[in-house]
Amino acid sequence: MLASRSPFALRSAVRSLSSGYASVFHASDLTIKTRTSPPREKSPKEQLAFGKEFSDSMLTIDWTRDGGWGKPVIEEYGDLAISPAATGLHYGIQCFEGMKCYFSPSDDSLRLFRPDLNMVRMNSSMQRLAMPGFDGDEMIELLKRFCEVEKEWVPKGAGYSLYLRPTAIGTHPFLGVDVSDHVKLFVIASPVGPYYPTGFKPVSLFADSTNKRAWPGGVGSFKVGGNYGPTILPAKEAMEKGFNQILWMFGDDDEVTECGAMNLFFVVQEGDKKVLWTAPLSRGDILPGVTRKSIIDLCESWDGIEVRETFPKMPEIKKASQEGRLLEAFGAGTAAVVSPIERINYNGFDINIPATGELTSKVWDELNGIYYGDVEGPDGWSVRV
Amino acid sequence: MLASRSPFALRSAVRSLSSGYASVFHASDLTIKTRTSPPREKSPKEQLAFGKEFSDSMLTIDWTRDGGWGKPVIEEYGDLAISPAATGLHYGIQCFEGMKCYFSPSDDSLRLFRPDLNMVRMNSSMQRLAMPGFDGDEMIELLKRFCEVEKEWVPKGAGYSLYLRPTAIGTHPFLGVDVSDHVKLFVIASPVGPYYPTGFKPVSLFADSTNKRAWPGGVGSFKVGGNYGPTILPAKEAMEKGFNQILWMFGDDDEVTECGAMNLFFVVQEGDKKVLWTAPLSRGDILPGVTRKSIIDLCESWDGIEVRETFPKMPEIKKASQEGRLLEAFGAGTAAVVSPIERINYNGFDINIPATGELTSKVWDELNGIYYGDVEGPDGWSVRV
């Protein structure tokens, strides 16, 4: 049952496998190549735009079916030499992760946030595309070494971080639609600034009844490249209609799945209860976001809010809004953390939502506190480099 | 309505646009770079395997949002320098075509088969991923020039051809999920031998009730990379169960959509009629194959067979088989042309099919006759280089 191979359900499986891979790479084999060109110029941090500027180095590890994993290398950031016949360019054999390295002023440390979840998800994405698995603990160690090497690239201050992009692509030069015999795993890094430099900016969503981001039996629960490209044109069309992003629905009863490239949450009043409502992972069409899971974990530990993981349906959301019970709505993901929603257009009807609500702000504060080491989060969430 | 943007429905739109693009490239601007290394060694043609060996040259054309299309270049085949942040490596901004260049012994010519259809589909795939369009006639002219340059690489003989792989990838080094500001269009070529060197080899299919290749509202009707990678693991699992390929179904009533990376056809007896049954393009989840369309076009011109483009349902196929009315089944695509099917496993039940049937053989003979110039096909099908 591929559809139910949810990455976070795979966690124990991947962990138990980590010593059992046919081939593993080890952080202790890392080579750091001497740079031959001077460091790149850094933009003033106020001018940073997401994902446009890259740090001096990249981490690469190659795998072949015959030779297994090669040794990890940190080398100068630069173009990759890729065969024009590489499976990663033709058949979408590519997956990635989004992570951030934060500077904590409390102890002058660099920190990662729940990197173990990213490693589990990347393993599951790679294996879903018939790429090899790897030992997540070794990769976390390599990410720490990489962050140390690039520490001058971690911008300081609230909302600033070094965005890390672990990526895996098929590099086998073979046009058969088949398992890739060569794979490249690499990590690049991009310094990024606060998503909301002047305070929250709530977004508007267009509930798209034509285009479907993912579907049961597909790969919506994996962070594979092919899930993203097809969203760009619909998003552009939504923007031309005056909306910021798309709300993705599925099924005849317009179940709410995600928004843009984020997981989606609603806060609804039910009698004297507040319910935090989000789509479940069980059907295999929802991306198991690290921010999503962390919000659920936090809210389950908090009083006064009940977490409900079942698909919200747009007619229910509309009804809750009309009855004054739709209290908050927000997207959640690594880039924006939380993104408050103030309006959803559904079948031509505008659902207006109070923004930015109490829970949205509380989640934002708590997560940012943990990211930057100002708040002591649950064990293992904030990992020192 | 993106879901209904069927590539072949787009044909007139793309044609009428071809003089109206913001930017076009022209075959007359082609530069052929002088080789600096000796020609590669050619394997004996009997040893050719699909898509593993490549010709000496490649055709490349770059596009940028600011500068439009650059000039086409035929240069030495070799690795591409691609930014590790390129959108084509992260977000599945990649699409391709499969075509063949045939040597015709009747007049010593090289020929392409219905290249206009590939150009229409490639335009539609690129535009679906928010990449620029191009003038298909100019691209056909470039493909002809490319085949002339590589003419020594076109193997001679029945079943032999030079497989052409036009590909487009996003090359913009930007991690935002957004329109790609840089695109590379390239063509590589691989000499290939007959798919059935010793006569037809019928295949067995596993009807997969878990994994779905495509879905309404998705991009199954476009030849984009993300449609292919996710099929590899299920196909591997089917092979481990003893089947050659997957039969893809959709919906609660197990509609038949495609098989492997091919369109799928059934020949069913209904009273005194023979019906050729295949999935329609109207819902947007079926790849508009050039071979598919050509088979439909041929059968519509032939007596004794009625073409029916509505979704066959597996229970109907099973019933037809049990009543002795399932006469033939075959997959269709550029690589294999037609691939006769002898067995389909559906919910644990084996449907056995006579193979290779009369229509399968007739289609095979007719198409191969046209490919190699032995048979005069409809106007415009066989295009001399």
Side-chain angles (χ1 to χ4, degrees):
Chain A
M1 282 280 292
L2 284 171
S4 67
R5 282 182 188 161
S6 162
F8 290 146
L10 270 177
R11 183 172 176 172
S12 56
V14 171
R15 276 296 158 112
S16 71
L17 274 172
S18 65
S19 59
Y21 291 127
S23 164
V24 290
F25 57 75
H26 296 285
S28 56
D29 289 330
L30 176 66
T31 301
I32 301 175
K33 286 196 183 166
T34 310
R35 294 185 54 78
T36 56
S37 43
R40 295 156 166 250
E41 203 180 327
K42 296 181 183 66
S43 297
K45 72 177 189 179
E46 296 70 23
Q47 292 172 21
L48 290 172
F50 177 82
K52 292 199 166 167
E53 187 168 331
F54 299 94
S55 73
D56 281 323
S57 306
M58 60 187 181
L59 169 68
T60 64
I61 320 172
D62 287 300
W63 177 90
T64 65
R65 184 158 310 281
D66 295 339
W69 283 109
K71 293 187 176 176
V73 176
I74 291 176
E75 59 192 309
E76 206 166 317
Y77 176 91
D79 287 350
L80 304 172
I82 300 177
S83 164
T87 54
L89 300 181
H90 295 261
Y91 302 131
I93 300 181
Q94 53 178 245
C95 60
F96 67 94
E97 285 295 317
M99 307 169 68
K100 284 176 172 172
C101 175
Y102 307 91
F103 174 78
S104 168
S106 64
D107 58 0
D108 282 1
S109 65
L110 298 179
R111 292 165 180 251
L112 301 171
F113 181 74
R114 306 188 83 175
D116 54 332
L117 297 183
N118 294 98
M119 295 304 99
V120 169
R121 188 170 62 185
M122 186 150 190
N123 256 301
S124 78
S125 298
M126 288 181 71
Q127 292 178 35
R128 181 62 187 83
L129 297 177
M131 290 195 273
F134 60 88
D135 185 324
D137 292 334
E138 295 291 333
M139 188 65 186
I140 290 172
E141 190 56 35
L142 286 169
L143 286 167
K144 289 180 181 177
R145 299 285 301 275
F146 180 64
C147 290
E148 270 167 27
V149 168
E150 296 299 76
K151 61 177 183 280
E152 297 301 321
W153 282 95
V154 186
K156 297 177 182 175
Y160 288 91
S161 63
L162 183 65
Y163 180 84
L164 303 174
R165 174 56 66 94
T167 310
I169 58 172
T171 47
H172 189 192
F174 174 41
L175 297 183
V177 180
D178 202 348
V179 175
S180 194
D181 282 351
H182 308 170
V183 167
K184 184 181 280 291
L185 175 58
F186 62 90
V187 183
I188 54 175
S190 173
V192 297
Y195 207 84
Y196 305 104
T198 57
F200 277 125
K201 202 176 159 206
V203 297
S204 60
L205 305 181
F206 175 72
D208 189 330
S209 54
T210 301
N211 300 290
K212 310 295 170 188
R213 189 197 81 92
W215 72 109
V219 291
S221 64
F222 301 91
K223 209 160 174 70
V224 298
N227 290 343
Y228 292 84
T231 68
I232 293 171
L233 188 61
K236 191 165 164 255
E237 293 176 343
M239 278 185 250
E240 284 163 3
K241 294 188 189 105
F243 301 93
N244 297 104
Q245 284 173 24
I246 285 184
L247 182 149
W248 302 104
M249 301 188 292
F250 194 82
D252 294 335
D253 45 3
D254 289 345
E255 291 164 339
V256 177
T257 62
E258 301 191 16
C259 65
M262 293 191 284
N263 294 114
L264 181 53
F265 289 85
F266 296 101
V267 182
V268 177
Q269 186 79 44
E270 290 192 1
D272 56 359
K273 278 193 310 199
K274 279 186 186 173
V275 176
L276 179 71
W277 204 352
T278 195
L281 306 181
S282 51
R283 202 169 65 182
D285 58 339
I286 299 296
L287 189 82
V290 174
T291 313
R292 175 191 180 279
K293 180 167 169 53
S294 301
I295 290 170
I296 291 173
D297 290 345
L298 287 176
C299 288
E300 283 178 341
S301 74
W302 289 343
D303 290 332
I305 185 86
E306 177 185 317
V307 176
R308 181 178 302 164
E309 288 183 74
T310 55
F311 285 103
K313 297 176 181 68
M314 273 312 296
E316 294 171 316
I317 295 300
K318 182 178 169 185
K319 185 161 178 281
S321 168
Q322 288 170 328
E323 294 171 358
R325 298 185 296 104
L326 181 57
L327 306 181
E328 307 177 42
F330 57 91
T334 295
V337 190
V338 293
S339 185
I341 295 157
E342 63 178 6
R343 181 166 69 102
I344 300 171
N345 187 278
Y346 174 57
N347 289 342
F349 181 89
D350 264 341
I351 298 169
N352 293 296
I353 306 162
T356 300
E358 190 189 341
L359 190 78
T360 311
S361 298
K362 187 175 174 187
V363 161
W364 167 269
D365 289 342
E366 185 73 7
L367 284 176
N368 275 287
I370 300 170
Y371 295 156
Y372 291 96
D374 301 325
V375 170
E376 182 71 26
D379 273 358
W381 283 29
S382 189
V383 174
R384 277 186 189 76
V385 164
Chain B
M1 283 279 293
L2 283 171
S4 66
R5 282 182 189 164
S6 163
F8 290 146
L10 269 177
R11 184 174 176 170
S12 58
V14 171
R15 277 296 158 109
S16 70
L17 272 173
S18 66
S19 59
Y21 291 127
S23 165
V24 290
F25 56 74
H26 297 285
S28 57
D29 288 330
L30 176 66
T31 301
I32 301 175
K33 286 195 183 166
T34 308
R35 293 184 55 78
T36 56
S37 44
R40 294 155 166 251
E41 201 179 327
K42 295 179 184 67
S43 297
K45 72 177 188 178
E46 295 70 23
Q47 292 172 20
L48 290 172
F50 177 82
K52 292 199 168 167
E53 188 167 330
F54 299 94
S55 74
D56 281 324
S57 307
M58 59 188 182
L59 170 67
T60 63
I61 320 173
D62 288 300
W63 177 90
T64 64
R65 184 159 310 280
D66 294 339
W69 284 108
K71 293 187 176 177
V73 176
I74 291 175
E75 59 193 309
E76 208 166 318
Y77 176 92
D79 287 351
L80 303 172
I82 299 178
S83 165
T87 54
L89 299 182
H90 295 262
Y91 302 131
I93 301 181
Q94 53 178 243
C95 60
F96 66 94
E97 286 295 316
M99 309 169 68
K100 284 175 173 173
C101 176
Y102 307 91
F103 174 78
S104 169
S106 63
D107 58 359
D108 282 0
S109 64
L110 298 178
R111 292 164 181 251
L112 301 171
F113 181 73
R114 306 188 83 174
D116 54 331
L117 297 183
N118 293 99
M119 297 302 101
V120 169
R121 188 170 62 186
M122 186 151 190
N123 256 301
S124 78
S125 298
M126 289 181 70
Q127 292 177 36
R128 181 62 186 82
L129 297 178
M131 288 194 273
F134 61 87
D135 185 324
D137 292 334
E138 295 291 333
M139 188 64 185
I140 290 171
E141 190 56 34
L142 285 169
L143 287 166
K144 290 180 180 176
R145 298 287 299 277
F146 180 65
C147 290
E148 270 168 26
V149 169
E150 296 298 76
K151 63 176 182 281
E152 297 301 321
W153 282 96
V154 185
K156 295 176 185 176
Y160 288 91
S161 62
L162 183 64
Y163 180 84
L164 304 174
R165 173 56 66 94
T167 310
I169 57 172
T171 46
H172 188 192
F174 174 41
L175 297 183
V177 181
D178 203 347
V179 176
S180 195
D181 282 352
H182 309 169
V183 168
K184 183 180 281 290
L185 175 58
F186 63 90
V187 183
I188 55 177
S190 173
V192 296
Y195 206 84
Y196 305 106
T198 57
F200 278 124
K201 201 175 161 205
V203 297
S204 60
L205 305 182
F206 175 72
D208 189 331
S209 54
T210 302
N211 299 290
K212 310 295 170 187
R213 190 196 79 93
W215 72 109
V219 291
S221 64
F222 301 90
K223 209 161 174 69
V224 299
N227 290 344
Y228 293 83
T231 69
I232 293 171
L233 187 61
K236 191 165 164 255
E237 293 176 343
M239 276 185 250
E240 284 163 4
K241 293 188 189 107
F243 301 93
N244 298 104
Q245 283 173 25
I246 285 184
L247 181 149
W248 303 104
M249 302 187 292
F250 194 83
D252 294 334
D253 45 3
D254 289 343
E255 292 164 338
V256 177
T257 62
E258 301 191 16
C259 65
M262 291 190 286
N263 294 114
L264 181 52
F265 289 85
F266 296 102
V267 181
V268 177
Q269 187 79 44
E270 290 191 359
D272 57 359
K273 279 192 311 198
K274 279 187 187 172
V275 177
L276 179 71
W277 204 352
T278 197
L281 306 182
S282 51
R283 202 168 64 182
D285 57 341
I286 300 296
L287 190 82
V290 174
T291 313
R292 174 191 181 278
K293 180 166 169 54
S294 300
I295 290 170
I296 291 172
D297 290 346
L298 287 175
C299 288
E300 283 179 341
S301 76
W302 289 343
D303 290 331
I305 186 86
E306 178 186 315
V307 176
R308 181 178 302 164
E309 289 183 72
T310 55
F311 286 103
K313 298 176 181 68
M314 273 312 296
E316 295 171 314
I317 295 302
K318 182 178 168 185
K319 183 160 180 279
S321 169
Q322 288 171 326
E323 294 171 356
R325 298 185 296 103
L326 181 57
L327 307 180
E328 307 177 41
F330 58 90
T334 295
V337 189
V338 294
S339 185
I341 295 158
E342 63 179 6
R343 180 166 69 102
I344 300 172
N345 187 277
Y346 173 58
N347 289 343
F349 181 89
D350 263 343
I351 300 170
N352 293 296
I353 307 162
T356 300
E358 189 188 343
L359 190 78
T360 311
S361 298
K362 186 176 176 186
V363 161
W364 167 269
D365 289 342
E366 186 73 8
L367 284 176
N368 275 286
I370 300 170
Y371 295 157
Y372 292 95
D374 300 325
V375 170
E376 183 71 26
D379 273 359
W381 283 27
S382 189
V383 175
R384 277 185 190 77
V385 164

